[in-house]
Amino acid sequence: MTEEFPRMSFPNESSEYREARNALLDAEIALRRKTEAVAEMRRELPPGGVIPEDFVFERIGAYQRPEKVRLSELFGDFPTLLIYSYMFGPERDVPCPGCTHLLDCIDGAARHVPQRAPLCVVAASPIARLAAWAHDRGWAHLQLLSTAGNDYNAHYYGNTASLTLEMRTARGYKSDENWDEPMLNVFGKDGDTIRHFWGSELVFAPDDPGQDHRGLDVIDPVWGLLDTTPEGRGDWFPKVDYSR
């Protein structure tokens, strides 16, 4: 149903265009409301599972030296922690271009998000390799951690190790092959208890025809910008290096 409120118009537009644009605006308003309704459902989730262990990561600390840090320490003085699993394991010559373009964008957000909740990026490569890549990429605000030596990604779907046989069969994955995956997980800390709050499970949900999983679109401005264009996303996909 069309809502009654003053509508915009642009120079020399046709009545046909305005009618279609008004209908689209109504759909955009409905989507905005649905987006907030989904966010409210997320905020009202009951307590998630307690973490199985206080995972130990490696990061670059004082004097540019590697140091160990536990997941519990990453919260600082905040009750919430965000961790993004980056597809950049030691077996990859270069990291996933999809993850990389997203982190290019999130590096700017990482100036602001930690005012409300710490944001970390984890990957299985050694910390020196991650730090060198971040430097080359020009990431000034992201906090990168190495999961080398811990099972964080296996527990929280930063790789495919924990997929059930049923999930593998549904997606055509072989039982003896594993690789890293993009995954955003949010954790909450209450006293000494740390629980999983939310994970981007849409990454592993069935794709709609002609789409990929779109599991992290909510935090990805590249796809949002392209969705505003007449050409849309098309079959284009980001690259790590556009000069090649």
Side-chain angles (χ1 to χ4, degrees):
M1 180 180 295
T2 301
E3 295 192 34
E4 296 301 326
F5 61 89
R7 304 291 177 123
M8 300 171 68
S9 64
F10 293 94
N12 302 316
E13 67 182 19
S14 66
S15 59
E16 180 184 23
Y17 174 89
R18 179 44 44 194
E19 181 178 0
R21 183 63 186 94
N22 284 347
L24 174 59
L25 179 57
D26 288 336
E28 290 170 342
I29 292 170
L31 178 60
R32 180 177 67 187
R33 291 172 178 164
K34 183 63 174 179
T35 299
E36 175 52 31
V38 170
E40 185 175 357
M41 290 176 65
R42 186 182 298 116
R43 292 192 296 268
E44 293 180 350
L45 283 169
V50 174
I51 60 172
E53 62 181 281
D54 195 1
F55 300 100
V56 178
F57 302 90
E58 193 170 42
R59 67 183 176 189
I60 297 297
Y63 307 107
Q64 297 299 302
R65 293 176 180 173
E67 66 178 16
K68 304 293 185 181
V69 59
R70 293 187 176 276
L71 188 147
S72 58
E73 298 175 294
L74 298 175
F75 284 84
D77 295 328
F78 293 90
T80 303
L81 169 68
L82 296 87
I83 299 182
Y84 176 77
S85 291
Y86 186 22
M87 296 173 66
F88 190 18
E91 74 285 353
R92 292 178 180 269
D93 293 331
V94 293
C96 166
C99 287
T100 301
H101 96 268
L102 177 59
L103 293 179
D104 285 340
C105 302
I106 292 180
D107 183 58
R111 181 194 296 263
H112 308 284
V113 173
Q115 306 303 312
R116 295 275 291 174
L119 170 62
C120 300
V121 176
V122 303
S125 283
I127 189 58
R129 189 185 194 210
L130 298 177
W133 176 256
H135 180 268
D136 290 346
R137 202 70 189 173
W139 293 338
H141 308 291
L142 289 172
Q143 180 179 185
L144 272 72
L145 308 172
S146 174
T147 62
N150 76 29
D151 293 325
Y152 169 83
N153 275 331
H155 283 289
Y156 290 102
Y157 295 94
N159 60 39
T160 58
S162 291
L163 295 186
T164 64
L165 179 59
E166 184 179 19
M167 293 176 70
R168 289 175 181 274
T169 301
R171 297 184 68 87
Y173 295 167
K174 295 180 179 179
S175 61
D176 59 346
E177 291 183 357
N178 285 301
W179 53 85
D180 44 14
E181 287 280 2
M183 191 72 176
L184 177 64
N185 285 290
V186 182
F187 298 89
K189 187 169 184 277
D190 183 7
D192 293 330
T193 302
I194 299 174
R195 294 180 179 273
H196 184 252
F197 170 72
W198 175 87
S200 53
E201 296 180 31
L202 192 58
V203 168
F204 292 98
D207 304 340
D208 286 333
Q211 300 179 1
D212 60 18
H213 57 73
R214 302 196 176 190
L216 292 163
D217 278 19
V218 68
I219 61 171
D220 193 328
V222 170
W223 299 126
L225 286 168
L226 291 178
D227 280 345
T228 69
T229 67
E231 299 81 11
R233 306 181 187 201
D235 58 1
W236 177 85
F237 197 77
K239 295 181 179 180
V240 171
D241 184 353
Y242 293 104
S243 66
R244 299 178 182 177

Short mmCIF file of all heavy atoms in Angstrom, two decimals, residues 53-112:
data_model
loop_
_atom_site.label_atom_id
_atom_site.label_comp_id
_atom_site.label_asym_id
_atom_site.label_seq_id
_atom_site.Cartn_x
_atom_site.Cartn_y
_atom_site.Cartn_z
N GLU A 53 36.73 -23.29 25.04
CA GLU A 53 38.02 -22.99 25.66
C GLU A 53 38.33 -21.52 25.42
O GLU A 53 37.74 -20.87 24.56
CB GLU A 53 39.13 -23.86 25.08
CG GLU A 53 39.36 -23.66 23.59
CD GLU A 53 40.45 -24.53 23.03
OE1 GLU A 53 41.64 -24.18 23.23
OE2 GLU A 53 40.12 -25.57 22.41
N ASP A 54 39.26 -21.00 26.20
CA ASP A 54 39.69 -19.62 26.03
C ASP A 54 40.82 -19.61 25.00
O ASP A 54 42.00 -19.69 25.35
CB ASP A 54 40.15 -19.05 27.38
CG ASP A 54 40.26 -17.54 27.36
OD1 ASP A 54 39.96 -16.92 26.32
OD2 ASP A 54 40.66 -16.96 28.40
N PHE A 55 40.45 -19.55 23.74
CA PHE A 55 41.39 -19.73 22.64
C PHE A 55 42.57 -18.76 22.74
O PHE A 55 42.41 -17.59 23.08
CB PHE A 55 40.68 -19.52 21.30
CG PHE A 55 39.55 -20.47 21.05
CD1 PHE A 55 38.24 -20.09 21.28
CD2 PHE A 55 39.80 -21.76 20.60
CE1 PHE A 55 37.19 -20.97 21.05
CE2 PHE A 55 38.76 -22.66 20.38
CZ PHE A 55 37.45 -22.26 20.61
N VAL A 56 43.74 -19.26 22.40
CA VAL A 56 44.95 -18.45 22.41
C VAL A 56 45.33 -18.10 20.97
O VAL A 56 45.52 -18.99 20.13
CB VAL A 56 46.13 -19.19 23.09
CG1 VAL A 56 47.40 -18.34 23.03
CG2 VAL A 56 45.77 -19.52 24.54
N PHE A 57 45.42 -16.81 20.68
CA PHE A 57 45.81 -16.31 19.37
C PHE A 57 47.19 -15.68 19.47
O PHE A 57 47.74 -15.52 20.56
CB PHE A 57 44.81 -15.25 18.89
CG PHE A 57 43.39 -15.72 18.81
CD1 PHE A 57 42.53 -15.60 19.89
CD2 PHE A 57 42.89 -16.25 17.62
CE1 PHE A 57 41.21 -16.02 19.81
CE2 PHE A 57 41.57 -16.68 17.54
CZ PHE A 57 40.74 -16.56 18.64
N GLU A 58 47.73 -15.32 18.32
CA GLU A 58 48.98 -14.57 18.29
C GLU A 58 48.75 -13.26 17.55
O GLU A 58 48.03 -13.21 16.56
CB GLU A 58 50.08 -15.38 17.59
CG GLU A 58 51.48 -14.79 17.79
CD GLU A 58 52.58 -15.71 17.31
OE1 GLU A 58 52.42 -16.30 16.22
OE2 GLU A 58 53.60 -15.84 18.02
N ARG A 59 49.33 -12.20 18.07
CA ARG A 59 49.21 -10.89 17.44
C ARG A 59 50.55 -10.18 17.52
O ARG A 59 51.47 -10.63 18.21
CB ARG A 59 48.15 -10.04 18.14
CG ARG A 59 48.51 -9.65 19.57
CD ARG A 59 47.38 -8.87 20.21
NE ARG A 59 47.68 -8.56 21.62
CZ ARG A 59 46.80 -8.05 22.49
NH1 ARG A 59 45.57 -7.78 22.09
NH2 ARG A 59 47.14 -7.81 23.74
N ILE A 60 50.65 -9.08 16.81
CA ILE A 60 51.83 -8.23 16.91
C ILE A 60 51.62 -7.28 18.07
O ILE A 60 50.64 -6.51 18.09
CB ILE A 60 52.08 -7.45 15.61
CG1 ILE A 60 52.36 -8.42 14.46
CG2 ILE A 60 53.24 -6.48 15.80
CD1 ILE A 60 53.61 -9.26 14.63
N GLY A 61 52.48 -7.35 19.05
CA GLY A 61 52.33 -6.53 20.25
C GLY A 61 53.31 -5.38 20.29
O GLY A 61 53.71 -4.83 19.26
N ALA A 62 53.72 -5.03 21.49
CA ALA A 62 54.65 -3.92 21.69
C ALA A 62 55.97 -4.19 20.99
O ALA A 62 56.42 -5.34 20.90
CB ALA A 62 54.86 -3.69 23.18
N TYR A 63 56.57 -3.14 20.49
CA TYR A 63 57.87 -3.21 19.81
C TYR A 63 57.82 -4.14 18.60
O TYR A 63 58.83 -4.70 18.19
CB TYR A 63 58.96 -3.67 20.78
CG TYR A 63 59.02 -2.85 22.04
CD1 TYR A 63 58.58 -3.39 23.25
CD2 TYR A 63 59.47 -1.53 22.04
CE1 TYR A 63 58.61 -2.63 24.42
CE2 TYR A 63 59.51 -0.77 23.20
CZ TYR A 63 59.07 -1.33 24.38
OH TYR A 63 59.09 -0.60 25.54
N GLN A 64 56.60 -4.30 18.02
CA GLN A 64 56.41 -5.10 16.81
C GLN A 64 56.85 -6.55 16.99
O GLN A 64 57.33 -7.19 16.05
CB GLN A 64 57.16 -4.46 15.63
CG GLN A 64 56.64 -3.09 15.25
CD GLN A 64 55.18 -3.13 14.82
OE1 GLN A 64 54.82 -3.83 13.89
NE2 GLN A 64 54.33 -2.38 15.53
N ARG A 65 56.67 -7.06 18.20
CA ARG A 65 57.02 -8.44 18.48
C ARG A 65 55.75 -9.28 18.64
O ARG A 65 54.76 -8.81 19.22
CB ARG A 65 57.85 -8.52 19.75
CG ARG A 65 59.22 -7.87 19.63
CD ARG A 65 59.95 -7.90 20.96
NE ARG A 65 61.27 -7.28 20.88
CZ ARG A 65 62.06 -7.06 21.91
NH1 ARG A 65 61.67 -7.42 23.12
NH2 ARG A 65 63.24 -6.48 21.75
N PRO A 66 55.76 -10.53 18.14
CA PRO A 66 54.60 -11.41 18.33
C PRO A 66 54.35 -11.66 19.82
O PRO A 66 55.30 -11.77 20.60
CB PRO A 66 55.01 -12.69 17.60
CG PRO A 66 56.08 -12.27 16.65
CD PRO A 66 56.81 -11.16 17.34
N GLU A 67 53.09 -11.75 20.18
CA GLU A 67 52.72 -12.08 21.55
C GLU A 67 51.44 -12.90 21.55
O GLU A 67 50.64 -12.83 20.62
CB GLU A 67 52.52 -10.81 22.39
CG GLU A 67 51.34 -9.96 21.96
CD GLU A 67 51.15 -8.73 22.84
OE1 GLU A 67 52.07 -8.37 23.56
OE2 GLU A 67 50.05 -8.13 22.78
N LYS A 68 51.26 -13.70 22.58
CA LYS A 68 50.06 -14.51 22.74
C LYS A 68 48.97 -13.68 23.42
O LYS A 68 49.25 -12.86 24.30
CB LYS A 68 50.36 -15.75 23.58
CG LYS A 68 51.49 -16.64 23.04
CD LYS A 68 51.10 -17.29 21.72
CE LYS A 68 52.18 -18.26 21.26
NZ LYS A 68 51.85 -18.90 19.97
N VAL A 69 47.72 -13.94 23.02
CA VAL A 69 46.59 -13.26 23.64
C VAL A 69 45.40 -14.21 23.64
O VAL A 69 45.16 -14.91 22.66
CB VAL A 69 46.26 -11.94 22.89
CG1 VAL A 69 45.91 -12.21 21.43
CG2 VAL A 69 45.12 -11.20 23.58
N ARG A 70 44.69 -14.24 24.76
CA ARG A 70 43.52 -15.09 24.86
C ARG A 70 42.26 -14.36 24.38
O ARG A 70 42.20 -13.12 24.43
CB ARG A 70 43.32 -15.56 26.30
CG ARG A 70 44.42 -16.49 26.78
CD ARG A 70 44.12 -17.07 28.16
NE ARG A 70 45.14 -18.04 28.55
CZ ARG A 70 45.14 -19.32 28.20
NH1 ARG A 70 44.14 -19.78 27.45
NH2 ARG A 70 46.10 -20.12 28.59
N LEU A 71 41.29 -15.14 23.94
CA LEU A 71 40.04 -14.55 23.48
C LEU A 71 39.44 -13.66 24.55
O LEU A 71 38.94 -12.56 24.27
CB LEU A 71 39.06 -15.65 23.06
CG LEU A 71 37.77 -15.20 22.37
CD1 LEU A 71 37.32 -16.24 21.34
CD2 LEU A 71 36.65 -14.94 23.35
N SER A 72 39.50 -14.09 25.80
CA SER A 72 38.92 -13.32 26.90
C SER A 72 39.56 -11.94 27.04
O SER A 72 38.92 -10.98 27.47
CB SER A 72 39.04 -14.08 28.22
OG SER A 72 40.41 -14.37 28.50
N GLU A 73 40.84 -11.84 26.65
CA GLU A 73 41.55 -10.57 26.77
C GLU A 73 41.18 -9.60 25.66
O GLU A 73 41.41 -8.39 25.79
CB GLU A 73 43.05 -10.82 26.75
CG GLU A 73 43.56 -11.66 27.91
CD GLU A 73 45.03 -11.99 27.80
OE1 GLU A 73 45.41 -12.74 26.87
OE2 GLU A 73 45.81 -11.47 28.63
N LEU A 74 40.62 -10.12 24.57
CA LEU A 74 40.30 -9.26 23.43
C LEU A 74 39.12 -8.33 23.71
O LEU A 74 38.94 -7.33 23.01
CB LEU A 74 39.99 -10.12 22.20
CG LEU A 74 41.14 -11.01 21.71
CD1 LEU A 74 40.65 -11.90 20.57
CD2 LEU A 74 42.32 -10.17 21.26
N PHE A 75 38.31 -8.65 24.71
CA PHE A 75 37.15 -7.82 25.03
C PHE A 75 37.55 -6.46 25.59
O PHE A 75 36.82 -5.48 25.44
CB PHE A 75 36.27 -8.53 26.07
CG PHE A 75 35.44 -9.65 25.53
CD1 PHE A 75 35.97 -10.92 25.39
CD2 PHE A 75 34.11 -9.45 25.18
CE1 PHE A 75 35.20 -11.96 24.91
CE2 PHE A 75 33.33 -10.48 24.69
CZ PHE A 75 33.88 -11.74 24.56
N GLY A 76 38.70 -6.39 26.24
CA GLY A 76 39.06 -5.16 26.93
C GLY A 76 38.03 -4.85 28.00
O GLY A 76 37.68 -5.71 28.81
N ASP A 77 37.50 -3.63 27.97
CA ASP A 77 36.49 -3.23 28.96
C ASP A 77 35.07 -3.34 28.42
O ASP A 77 34.13 -2.83 29.03
CB ASP A 77 36.75 -1.79 29.41
CG ASP A 77 38.06 -1.64 30.15
OD1 ASP A 77 38.47 -2.60 30.83
OD2 ASP A 77 38.69 -0.57 30.03
N PHE A 78 34.91 -4.01 27.26
CA PHE A 78 33.60 -4.10 26.63
C PHE A 78 32.97 -5.47 26.87
O PHE A 78 33.67 -6.46 27.07
CB PHE A 78 33.72 -3.85 25.13
CG PHE A 78 34.11 -2.44 24.77
CD1 PHE A 78 35.45 -2.10 24.63
CD2 PHE A 78 33.15 -1.46 24.57
CE1 PHE A 78 35.82 -0.81 24.30
CE2 PHE A 78 33.51 -0.17 24.24
CZ PHE A 78 34.84 0.16 24.10
N PRO A 79 31.64 -5.56 26.80
CA PRO A 79 30.96 -6.85 26.99
C PRO A 79 30.80 -7.64 25.70
O PRO A 79 30.34 -8.78 25.74
CB PRO A 79 29.59 -6.45 27.53
CG PRO A 79 29.32 -5.12 26.90
CD PRO A 79 30.66 -4.44 26.79
N THR A 80 31.16 -7.05 24.56
CA THR A 80 30.92 -7.68 23.26
C THR A 80 32.19 -7.65 22.42
O THR A 80 32.98 -6.71 22.49
CB THR A 80 29.78 -6.96 22.52
OG1 THR A 80 28.60 -6.98 23.33
CG2 THR A 80 29.47 -7.63 21.20
N LEU A 81 32.37 -8.68 21.62
CA LEU A 81 33.55 -8.82 20.76
C LEU A 81 33.11 -9.37 19.40
O LEU A 81 32.32 -10.31 19.32
CB LEU A 81 34.54 -9.79 21.41
CG LEU A 81 35.72 -10.28 20.58
CD1 LEU A 81 36.69 -9.15 20.27
CD2 LEU A 81 36.44 -11.44 21.29
N LEU A 82 33.62 -8.76 18.32
CA LEU A 82 33.37 -9.24 16.97
C LEU A 82 34.65 -9.83 16.40
O LEU A 82 35.72 -9.23 16.52
CB LEU A 82 32.91 -8.10 16.05
CG LEU A 82 31.58 -7.41 16.37
CD1 LEU A 82 31.80 -6.28 17.36
CD2 LEU A 82 30.95 -6.87 15.10
N ILE A 83 34.53 -11.01 15.77
CA ILE A 83 35.69 -11.67 15.16
C ILE A 83 35.31 -12.11 13.74
O ILE A 83 34.35 -12.85 13.54
CB ILE A 83 36.16 -12.89 15.96
CG1 ILE A 83 36.57 -12.49 17.38
CG2 ILE A 83 37.32 -13.58 15.24
CD1 ILE A 83 37.09 -13.64 18.21
N TYR A 84 36.09 -11.63 12.77
CA TYR A 84 35.89 -12.02 11.37
C TYR A 84 36.98 -13.01 10.97
O TYR A 84 38.17 -12.75 11.16
CB TYR A 84 35.94 -10.80 10.45
CG TYR A 84 35.82 -11.17 8.98
CD1 TYR A 84 34.59 -11.49 8.44
CD2 TYR A 84 36.95 -11.23 8.17
CE1 TYR A 84 34.46 -11.85 7.11
CE2 TYR A 84 36.83 -11.59 6.83
CZ TYR A 84 35.58 -11.89 6.31
OH TYR A 84 35.47 -12.25 4.99
N SER A 85 36.57 -14.14 10.41
CA SER A 85 37.52 -15.15 9.94
C SER A 85 37.85 -14.88 8.47
O SER A 85 36.98 -14.91 7.60
CB SER A 85 36.92 -16.56 10.09
OG SER A 85 36.81 -16.90 11.45
N TYR A 86 39.13 -14.62 8.23
CA TYR A 86 39.67 -14.21 6.94
C TYR A 86 40.21 -15.44 6.21
O TYR A 86 40.96 -16.22 6.80
CB TYR A 86 40.78 -13.20 7.21
CG TYR A 86 41.41 -12.51 6.03
CD1 TYR A 86 40.80 -12.40 4.79
CD2 TYR A 86 42.68 -11.93 6.19
CE1 TYR A 86 41.40 -11.73 3.75
CE2 TYR A 86 43.29 -11.26 5.15
CZ TYR A 86 42.66 -11.17 3.92
OH TYR A 86 43.27 -10.49 2.89
N MET A 87 39.86 -15.57 4.94
CA MET A 87 40.31 -16.71 4.15
C MET A 87 41.74 -16.47 3.65
O MET A 87 41.96 -16.10 2.51
CB MET A 87 39.35 -16.96 2.99
CG MET A 87 37.94 -17.35 3.43
SD MET A 87 36.76 -17.45 2.06
CE MET A 87 37.41 -18.85 1.15
N PHE A 88 42.69 -16.66 4.56
CA PHE A 88 44.10 -16.45 4.22
C PHE A 88 44.95 -17.42 5.02
O PHE A 88 45.71 -17.04 5.90
CB PHE A 88 44.50 -15.01 4.49
CG PHE A 88 45.86 -14.62 3.96
CD1 PHE A 88 46.50 -15.38 2.99
CD2 PHE A 88 46.49 -13.48 4.42
CE1 PHE A 88 47.74 -15.03 2.49
CE2 PHE A 88 47.74 -13.11 3.93
CZ PHE A 88 48.37 -13.88 2.96
N GLY A 89 44.78 -18.70 4.72
CA GLY A 89 45.58 -19.72 5.38
C GLY A 89 46.94 -19.86 4.72
O GLY A 89 47.19 -19.30 3.64
N PRO A 90 47.84 -20.61 5.32
CA PRO A 90 49.21 -20.75 4.80
C PRO A 90 49.25 -21.43 3.43
O PRO A 90 50.25 -21.30 2.71
CB PRO A 90 49.91 -21.59 5.87
CG PRO A 90 48.82 -22.31 6.57
CD PRO A 90 47.64 -21.39 6.55
N GLU A 91 48.19 -22.15 3.06
CA GLU A 91 48.18 -22.83 1.76
C GLU A 91 47.87 -21.88 0.61
O GLU A 91 48.03 -22.23 -0.56
CB GLU A 91 47.15 -23.98 1.78
CG GLU A 91 45.69 -23.55 1.70
CD GLU A 91 45.16 -22.96 3.01
OE1 GLU A 91 45.89 -23.00 4.02
OE2 GLU A 91 44.01 -22.48 3.02
N ARG A 92 47.43 -20.67 0.91
CA ARG A 92 47.06 -19.70 -0.13
C ARG A 92 48.26 -18.81 -0.46
O ARG A 92 48.88 -18.25 0.43
CB ARG A 92 45.90 -18.82 0.34
CG ARG A 92 44.58 -19.54 0.50
CD ARG A 92 43.50 -18.58 1.02
NE ARG A 92 42.21 -19.22 1.19
CZ ARG A 92 41.28 -19.27 0.24
NH1 ARG A 92 41.50 -18.68 -0.92
NH2 ARG A 92 40.13 -19.89 0.46
N ASP A 93 48.50 -18.64 -1.76
CA ASP A 93 49.54 -17.70 -2.19
C ASP A 93 49.09 -16.27 -1.93
O ASP A 93 49.89 -15.41 -1.54
CB ASP A 93 49.86 -17.89 -3.67
CG ASP A 93 50.52 -19.23 -3.96
OD1 ASP A 93 51.21 -19.76 -3.06
OD2 ASP A 93 50.34 -19.75 -5.07
N VAL A 94 47.81 -16.00 -2.18
CA VAL A 94 47.21 -14.69 -1.88
C VAL A 94 45.88 -14.96 -1.20
O VAL A 94 45.27 -16.01 -1.40
CB VAL A 94 47.00 -13.84 -3.16
CG1 VAL A 94 48.33 -13.44 -3.77
CG2 VAL A 94 46.13 -14.58 -4.17
N PRO A 95 45.40 -14.02 -0.41
CA PRO A 95 44.14 -14.24 0.29
C PRO A 95 42.93 -14.17 -0.64
O PRO A 95 43.04 -13.72 -1.78
CB PRO A 95 44.11 -13.12 1.33
CG PRO A 95 44.95 -12.05 0.74
CD PRO A 95 46.03 -12.75 -0.02
N CYS A 96 41.81 -14.60 -0.14
CA CYS A 96 40.55 -14.55 -0.88
C CYS A 96 40.25 -13.11 -1.30
O CYS A 96 40.25 -12.21 -0.47
CB CYS A 96 39.44 -15.09 0.00
SG CYS A 96 37.77 -14.73 -0.58
N PRO A 97 39.97 -12.85 -2.59
CA PRO A 97 39.65 -11.49 -3.01
C PRO A 97 38.34 -10.98 -2.44
O PRO A 97 38.19 -9.78 -2.20
CB PRO A 97 39.60 -11.60 -4.54
CG PRO A 97 39.35 -13.04 -4.83
CD PRO A 97 40.02 -13.79 -3.72
N GLY A 98 37.37 -11.88 -2.22
CA GLY A 98 36.12 -11.45 -1.61
C GLY A 98 36.33 -10.95 -0.19
O GLY A 98 35.84 -9.88 0.18
N CYS A 99 37.06 -11.72 0.60
CA CYS A 99 37.39 -11.29 1.96
C CYS A 99 38.21 -10.00 1.95
O CYS A 99 37.99 -9.10 2.76
CB CYS A 99 38.21 -12.36 2.68
SG CYS A 99 37.31 -13.84 3.17
N THR A 100 39.15 -9.92 1.02
CA THR A 100 40.07 -8.79 1.01
C THR A 100 39.36 -7.48 0.69
O THR A 100 39.61 -6.46 1.33
CB THR A 100 41.21 -9.05 0.01
OG1 THR A 100 41.91 -10.25 0.39
CG2 THR A 100 42.19 -7.89 0.00
N HIS A 101 38.47 -7.51 -0.29
CA HIS A 101 37.74 -6.26 -0.60
C HIS A 101 36.88 -5.84 0.58
O HIS A 101 36.75 -4.66 0.88
CB HIS A 101 36.89 -6.42 -1.87
CG HIS A 101 35.46 -6.76 -1.62
ND1 HIS A 101 35.00 -8.06 -1.57
CD2 HIS A 101 34.38 -5.98 -1.37
CE1 HIS A 101 33.70 -8.06 -1.32
NE2 HIS A 101 33.30 -6.82 -1.18
N LEU A 102 36.30 -6.84 1.27
CA LEU A 102 35.48 -6.52 2.44
C LEU A 102 36.33 -5.89 3.54
O LEU A 102 35.93 -4.88 4.14
CB LEU A 102 34.81 -7.79 2.97
CG LEU A 102 33.97 -7.65 4.24
CD1 LEU A 102 32.84 -6.64 4.04
CD2 LEU A 102 33.41 -8.99 4.67
N LEU A 103 37.52 -6.43 3.78
CA LEU A 103 38.39 -5.87 4.81
C LEU A 103 38.95 -4.51 4.41
O LEU A 103 39.22 -3.67 5.27
CB LEU A 103 39.50 -6.85 5.14
CG LEU A 103 39.04 -8.14 5.82
CD1 LEU A 103 40.21 -9.06 6.09
CD2 LEU A 103 38.27 -7.86 7.10
N ASP A 104 39.13 -4.27 3.10
CA ASP A 104 39.49 -2.93 2.65
C ASP A 104 38.45 -1.92 3.15
O ASP A 104 38.79 -0.83 3.60
CB ASP A 104 39.54 -2.87 1.12
CG ASP A 104 40.77 -3.54 0.53
OD1 ASP A 104 41.77 -3.73 1.27
OD2 ASP A 104 40.74 -3.88 -0.67
N CYS A 105 37.19 -2.30 3.05
CA CYS A 105 36.10 -1.43 3.50
C CYS A 105 36.04 -1.34 5.02
O CYS A 105 35.87 -0.26 5.60
CB CYS A 105 34.76 -1.94 2.97
SG CYS A 105 34.65 -2.07 1.17
N ILE A 106 36.18 -2.50 5.67
CA ILE A 106 36.03 -2.55 7.12
C ILE A 106 37.18 -1.86 7.83
O ILE A 106 37.03 -1.41 8.98
CB ILE A 106 35.88 -4.01 7.58
CG1 ILE A 106 34.53 -4.56 7.09
CG2 ILE A 106 35.95 -4.14 9.09
CD1 ILE A 106 34.29 -5.99 7.48
N ASP A 107 38.34 -1.73 7.18
CA ASP A 107 39.44 -1.02 7.82
C ASP A 107 39.01 0.40 8.21
O ASP A 107 39.40 0.89 9.27
CB ASP A 107 40.66 -0.97 6.90
CG ASP A 107 41.85 -0.29 7.56
OD1 ASP A 107 42.29 -0.76 8.63
OD2 ASP A 107 42.33 0.73 7.02
N GLY A 108 38.23 1.03 7.36
CA GLY A 108 37.71 2.35 7.73
C GLY A 108 36.73 2.27 8.88
O GLY A 108 36.77 3.09 9.82
N ALA A 109 35.86 1.26 8.85
CA ALA A 109 34.89 1.08 9.93
C ALA A 109 35.59 0.76 11.24
O ALA A 109 35.08 1.09 12.33
CB ALA A 109 33.90 -0.02 9.57
N ALA A 110 36.76 0.11 11.14
CA ALA A 110 37.49 -0.29 12.35
C ALA A 110 38.08 0.90 13.10
O ALA A 110 38.61 0.74 14.20
CB ALA A 110 38.61 -1.27 11.98
N ARG A 111 37.98 2.07 12.52
CA ARG A 111 38.30 3.29 13.27
C ARG A 111 37.19 3.62 14.27
O ARG A 111 37.44 4.24 15.31
CB ARG A 111 38.47 4.46 12.29
CG ARG A 111 38.84 5.79 12.91
CD ARG A 111 38.63 6.91 11.90
NE ARG A 111 39.50 6.79 10.76
CZ ARG A 111 40.65 7.45 10.62
NH1 ARG A 111 41.06 8.27 11.58
NH2 ARG A 111 41.38 7.30 9.54
N HIS A 112 35.97 3.18 13.96
CA HIS A 112 34.79 3.60 14.72
C HIS A 112 34.17 2.48 15.56
O HIS A 112 33.78 2.72 16.71
CB HIS A 112 33.73 4.14 13.75
CG HIS A 112 34.24 5.20 12.84
ND1 HIS A 112 34.47 6.50 13.25
CD2 HIS A 112 34.59 5.16 11.53
CE1 HIS A 112 34.93 7.22 12.23
NE2 HIS A 112 35.01 6.43 11.17
#
